[in-house]
Amino acid sequence: MTMTTNPAKASRWSRIWNSNMGYSFRRNPVAVVSLAIFVFITAMALLAPIIAPFNPYDPAQIDIMNSEFPPVWIDGSDAQFVFGTDDQGRDLWSTILYGTRLSLLIGLCAVMLQAFLGISIGLIAGYVGGRLDSLLMRMADIQLSFSTLMVAIIFLAVTQAMFGSETFNQYAIYFLIAVIGVAEWPQYARTVRATVLAEKKKEYVDSARVLGFGPLRIMVRHILPNSLSPIFVISTVQVANAIISEASLSFLGLGMPPSQPSLGSLISSGFDYIFSGSWWITAIPGVLLVVLVLVINLLGDWMRDVLNPKLYKG
Amino acid sequence: MLAYLVKRVFQAIAVMLVISLVGFAIQDNLGDPLRELVGQSVSEEVRQQLRDELGLNDSFFRQYSRFLGNALQGDLGTSYFFKEPALDVILKKLPATLELVLGATLIIVGFSVPLGVYTAIKPNALLSRLIMGVSIVGISIPVFLTAILMIFVFSVELNLLPSYGRGDVVTVFGNWDTNFATLDGWAHILLPSLALASIMLPLFVRLIRAEMMEVLQSEYVKYAKAKGIRPYRIYFVHALKNTLLPVITVGGVQIGTMVAYTILTETVFQWPGMGFMFLEAVNRVDTPLIVAYLIVVGFIFVLTNTVVDLIYGLVNPTVNLARMGA
C-alpha cells in the first residue's frame, strides 16, 4: 500500500501521507472532518481531569442543591455550570467528559479483545485447516447467530442478580469489556480466515516454510501483515458498534452505575427527568454519543471504499 | 438435501441443549428456591428434609435431566413473583413483543425496498446521496436514543401520540391481544415500531442497494436492456428478484436480533412485552422467569436461524449442500 520512490529517505509519516490512502484521505473532506472531530473528542476525553472544572467522582464537590440547573443560555441557570447540572447536582460538562472517557475506553478495549481472539482463532483455523477449521468456523456461525446485545443483556443481567449490584457496579467496566469483547470475535475470525486461505497458497509462504520458519512465525510475521486491510475496516465499524452496545447496556441499567456514568448511563438518568422538562441531561450526552459514533462510521465507510479491492475492478 | 436437513436439525438440537445447560446452571446458582417456598423461619432440620424431598441434594446430572425432562413438557418452573408457570407468564407477554416486531418489519419492508432500489438505480442523484447520508446517521443513533427523541417530539412537545403502554387492545384467537384492531392501538404501536425499525432500516437500504448495484452489472440485465424491455420491468421484476435472496437471508437472522432490540424499545415506551418483563424479573431476582426467558429467546433464535438456513439451501441452487453440511 505504501509506495514511494525512495523508501530509505522517506520518513514513515511522509510515506503514509504520500500513499494511496493518504491521497484519498486528503481528497475526501468528509473523512478529514470526521478524523478531526474524532481526534478532538478523544483528546478532550483523555484530558478530562485537566479540562473538567469539577470532578464528578468526588462527593465533596457535589451538592444536591445544585441539581437540574439548565445550560447557561437558558433562564434560571448558574454561570459556573456551562451545560447545566444533572439530577444529582453534578456539573454536566465535567460528567460528560469523564463519561466519554469511559465510553471510549470500554469501546476500544472491547474491540482489542475481539481482535485478539478473532485474529488468533482466524489464523489458526485458516492455517491449520481440516477438522479444527470446520469446528472453529461452526462455533463462529453459532456465535454469530445470537445477537451480541441479547447475549450481553442476559449475561450481565444474570451476573448482576448473582453478585448483587454493589459488587457488580464495582467491576461493571470489566464485565462490559469482557462480554462485548467475547461475543463479537467471529467477525474478525471469519475475515482473517478467508484472507489466510488466500495468502497461504502464495509463494512467499512456501519460501518461508522452506527456510524453516515455524508455523507461529509464518502466521504472525508473514501472513498477518498481508491481512491487515480488512482488519482495519472491521475495527472501525466494531468500535462504533461496541460504543453503541455499551451505551445500550448502560441505558438498561446493566452497565456503568450512575455514580460513575458513561454516556449511556447519563442518558438513562436524564430520561427519568425528560417529562419534567430537564431535557439537557439526556440531549447533550446523546448528541455527543451520536456524533462520536457517526464520525467513526464515516471513517469506516471511507476506509472501506479505499481498501476494498472489489471497487478497483469496476 | 436430506443429509443437510438432518445435520442442520442436529446442530439446532445441540445448541438448544447447551442453552438449557446454561439455563440450568443459572437456576442452580441464582437465588434459593427454599427461601422462596418457606421463608426464613424454618429450622435447619426441616430445611434439609425439604431439600431431600425437592431433590435439591441429588447429583448434578440427575437434577439436570429432571430439568430437561420438565422443559420438554413445557414446564419451565413457577415464577416466584407471579406465582404462575413461568412459560405461561412469558406466553402472555409474547403477543405484545411479536406485534412490535411485526410493526417494525412492515415499516422496514415498506421503505427499504423502494429506497434501496432507487439509490441503486440513480446512485449519483441528490436524493440518493441524501438517503445514504441519512442512513449512516440512522445507523449511528442508538435505538433507545431514537425512541427518547420520538417521545420528546411527538408526545412531550407536540402532544400527538401516547408515550407509553399498549392502549386499547382487542383479544383475538382466544388469548392474543392485538394492537391492530383499534385506532388507539395503532397510535400506541406507531412510535415503538418506528423506533425499532430505525436501527434496521438503514442496514437494509444499504444492503438492497449494494446487491441491486451488483445485479444491475450482470449480463442478463444488459441483455434485457438490449432487448428493449421497459426499465421499470427490468428493475422490479428481473433485477429485484435476484436481489432479494441475500436480503431475505439477512432479514431472517435479523428477526432474532430485533427481539434483542425490543428490550430497549419496550423499556423506553414501557411496552408490556417480554423484554420489559425480563428486566423486571432481573430486578426481582425471579430466577425461574429469567431462565424461562433465556430458553424461549434462545429457541426463537435457533428456530429462525435454522429455518433461514434451510430455506436458503432450498432456494439457492448454487449453495453446495454437501460442503455446507460438512
Side-chain angles (χ1 to χ4, degrees), chain A residues 178-246:
Chain A
V179 73
I180 301 173
V182 171
E184 291 263 306
W185 65 267
Q187 303 281 1
Y188 282 94
R190 282 182 152 192
T191 320
V192 171
R193 172 181 173 270
T195 47
V196 170
L197 288 181
E199 294 292 323
K200 194 164 80 163
K201 298 191 192 98
K202 293 190 179 163
E203 276 148 2
Y204 74 91
V205 176
D206 286 338
S207 66
R209 207 174 289 146
V210 170
L211 281 170
F213 294 149
L216 188 69
R217 189 188 155 106
I218 296 177
M219 279 192 262
V220 177
R221 292 284 299 275
H222 300 266
I223 295 180
L224 186 59
N226 286 303
S227 338
L228 279 182
S229 39
I231 292 177
F232 278 135
V233 176
I234 299 176
S235 299
T236 45
V237 180
Q238 290 298 97
V239 171
N241 285 344
I243 291 175
I244 288 192
S245 300
E246 186 278 328

Side-chain angles (χ1 to χ4, degrees), chain B residues 82-98:
Chain B
F82 293 96
K83 310 284 179 212
E84 275 177 65
L87 194 62
D88 290 359
V89 176
I90 290 182
L91 290 181
K92 248 184 254 168
K93 305 279 184 184
L94 190 66
T97 300
L98 286 186

Side-chain angles (χ1 to χ4, degrees), chain B residues 184-249:
Chain B
D184 188 53
W186 278 91
H188 276 85
I189 204 171
L190 184 62
L191 286 186
S193 326
L194 266 177
L196 187 56
S198 72
I199 196 80
M200 297 281 171
L201 186 58
L203 285 175
F204 276 90
V205 171
R206 292 174 145 244
L207 181 68
I208 292 178
R209 174 178 182 264
E211 294 292 335
M212 187 86 177
M213 283 175 100
E214 207 161 294
V215 169
L216 288 180
Q217 299 291 322
S218 63
E219 298 289 329
Y220 79 91
V221 169
K222 284 178 190 161
Y223 177 68
K225 274 184 191 159
K227 212 174 143 196
I229 296 175
R230 272 175 294 121
Y232 280 89
R233 199 178 153 74
I234 299 178
Y235 296 143
F236 285 98
V237 177
H238 296 272
L240 191 61
K241 214 187 281 172
N242 284 301
T243 306
L244 286 184
L245 188 62
V247 175
I248 289 171
T249 322

Side-chain angles (χ1 to χ4, degrees), chain B residues 99 168-172 178-186:
Chain B
E99 289 209 331
D168 280 345
V169 290
V170 175
T171 309
V172 287
T178 183
N179 264 70
F180 295 112
T182 60
L183 203 62
D184 188 53
W186 278 91

Side-chain angles (χ1 to χ4, degrees), chain A:
Chain A
M1 189 58 62
T2 49
M3 294 262 283
T4 44
T5 41
N6 45 355
K9 278 182 197 164
S11 71
R12 175 163 293 191
W13 174 245
S14 71
R15 268 171 61 196
I16 294 174
W17 184 254
N18 290 321
S19 66
N20 275 343
M21 226 174 145
Y23 177 75
S24 121
F25 179 73
R26 277 174 283 153
R27 292 292 302 273
N28 190 331
V30 176
V32 175
V33 172
S34 301
L35 187 68
I37 295 176
F38 178 70
V39 169
F40 178 71
I41 294 178
T42 314
M44 297 289 268
L46 282 178
L47 298 175
I50 301 167
I51 301 172
F54 297 89
N55 180 358
Y57 302 154
D58 179 8
Q61 293 186 24
I62 304 172
D63 187 349
I64 192 75
M65 294 304 288
N66 288 336
S67 69
E68 292 187 65
F69 274 125
V72 283
W73 59 86
I74 293 172
D75 288 343
S77 61
D78 188 321
Q80 55 172 333
F81 306 116
V82 182
F83 286 124
T85 55
D86 71 356
D87 55 316
Q88 299 180 31
R90 286 180 298 208
D91 175 43
L92 197 57
W93 172 232
S94 313
T95 318
I96 287 175
L97 284 174
Y98 278 86
T100 315
R101 210 167 130 102
L102 279 173
S103 290
L104 272 172
L105 180 74
I106 294 171
L108 291 174
C109 288
V111 172
M112 276 196 267
L113 184 59
Q114 286 169 18
F116 175 73
L117 287 173
I119 293 172
S120 319
I121 294 174
L123 278 174
I124 292 169
Y127 193 79
V128 177
R131 273 170 179 268
L132 186 65
D133 179 31
S134 42
L135 178 72
L136 288 173
M137 285 304 113
R138 185 51 50 89
M139 277 169 62
D141 281 348
I142 293 170
Q143 172 84 66
L144 264 188
S145 69
F146 290 93
S147 140
T148 305
L149 192 64
M150 195 80 240
V151 174
I153 287 172
I154 289 179
F155 172 80
L156 292 172
V158 170
T159 324
Q160 198 179 38
M162 217 172 258
F163 293 118
S165 21
E166 283 286 308
T167 325
F168 179 83
N169 287 348
Q170 215 175 336
Y171 297 105
I173 185 165
Y174 304 107
F175 286 133
L176 283 168
I177 293 174
V179 73
I180 301 173
V182 171
E184 291 263 306
W185 65 267
Q187 303 281 1
Y188 282 94
R190 282 182 152 192
T191 320
V192 171
R193 172 181 173 270
T195 47
V196 170
L197 288 181
E199 294 292 323
K200 194 164 80 163
K201 298 191 192 98
K202 293 190 179 163
E203 276 148 2
Y204 74 91
V205 176
D206 286 338
S207 66
R209 207 174 289 146
V210 170
L211 281 170
F213 294 149
L216 188 69
R217 189 188 155 106
I218 296 177
M219 279 192 262
V220 177
R221 292 284 299 275
H222 300 266
I223 295 180
L224 186 59
N226 286 303
S227 338
L228 279 182
S229 39
I231 292 177
F232 278 135
V233 176
I234 299 176
S235 299
T236 45
V237 180
Q238 290 298 97
V239 171
N241 285 344
I243 291 175
I244 288 192
S245 300
E246 186 278 328
S248 307
L249 293 165
S250 295
F251 178 77
L252 291 174
L254 299 171
M256 297 307 292
S259 60
Q260 219 179 327
S262 68
L263 290 176
S265 19
L266 253 182
I267 294 168
S268 168
S269 62
F271 179 54
D272 298 335
Y273 296 85
I274 202 166
F275 293 102
S276 63
S278 306
W279 51 268
W280 57 90
I281 310 174
T282 306
I284 300 174
V287 168
L288 188 68
L289 177 68
V290 172
V291 169
L292 180 62
V293 175
L294 180 65
V295 294
I296 298 175
N297 272 331
L298 287 170
L299 280 174
D301 256 23
W302 162 76
M303 210 182 272
R304 182 168 47 215
D305 288 348
V306 179
L307 295 179
N308 190 355
K310 254 186 176 177
L311 284 178
Y312 290 132
K313 273 195 290 185

